[in-house]
Amino acid sequence: MFNLGFYSGRKAPDIRLAPTRLDRVMELVALLLLIAAWVLILVPYFKGETENDNWLISMIVSTAVFALVAWTGYMPVRFINFPVRVHEGNVVIQYLYATRFGRVLNIILQLCCVSGVLCFTGGYYGISYETVKWIFLAVAGLFLGAMIVYYILAFMHR
């Protein structure tokens, strides 16, 4: 269930929207960030520069997060809780906004995974903990901005 609000999409007409080029680009960006996280993890590991086993956990978590959040872009309307009431007149635009928000959320979460990887491999790449902290803050700001934009758009088109 993708919970964005109080109003269920169970009674809304069942629709399917074909992903647009923008949607495919957002999915590709999230996939490239996942691959970047894998590369950032595996390079120091195979060169023997890391002693901890956080690399395997990080790879599993980032891949699971990618797969689960990527599914929100294809989720049926009945599994989404919207911030506004959904009816025949607004179901298409609300579904479009919710699925796009899911794709943006996937990009932001993959940025968070890359930041997490940099946190424990930063010494290998010469990145200070202070820099990683600022990257995390920037990612949190992106998340907050995406939430605000989504809710503004959802309430504008109710």
Side-chain angles (χ1 to χ4, degrees), residues 27-147:
E27 291 171 351
L28 180 64
V29 168
L31 180 64
L32 289 174
L33 286 169
L34 175 67
I35 293 169
W38 288 350
V39 169
L40 288 172
I41 292 168
L42 292 176
V43 167
Y45 177 75
F46 284 121
K47 288 193 175 186
E49 298 289 331
T50 181
E51 292 87 26
N52 60 14
D53 290 329
N54 291 340
W55 66 275
L56 181 61
I57 294 168
S58 181
M59 286 181 69
I60 292 170
V61 167
S62 62
T63 305
V65 165
F66 174 80
L68 288 173
V69 180
W71 185 67
T72 62
Y74 301 96
M75 188 177 288
V77 174
R78 66 181 178 273
F79 293 141
I80 302 173
N81 283 350
F82 296 94
V84 297
R85 289 192 194 277
V86 179
H87 50 78
E88 289 182 15
N90 71 351
V91 67
V92 173
I93 194 75
Q94 292 297 329
Y95 181 71
L96 177 70
Y97 287 153
T99 56
R100 287 249 170 101
F101 177 69
R103 289 180 175 104
V104 169
L105 184 64
N106 202 3
I107 291 170
I108 291 170
L109 290 174
Q110 289 309 309
L111 280 171
C112 193
C113 289
V114 168
S115 301
V117 167
L118 288 175
C119 191
F120 71 84
T121 61
Y124 177 79
Y125 295 108
I127 299 172
S128 69
Y129 180 73
E130 191 70 25
T131 304
V132 174
K133 183 174 77 171
W134 285 108
I135 292 172
F136 269 119
L137 286 173
V139 170
L142 283 174
F143 175 72
L144 186 63
M147 286 287 282

Side-chain angles (χ1 to χ4, degrees), residues 3-9 80-85 151 155:
N3 193 2
L4 298 170
F6 300 112
Y7 301 104
S8 175
I80 302 173
N81 283 350
F82 296 94
V84 297
R85 289 192 194 277
Y151 280 102
F155 279 101

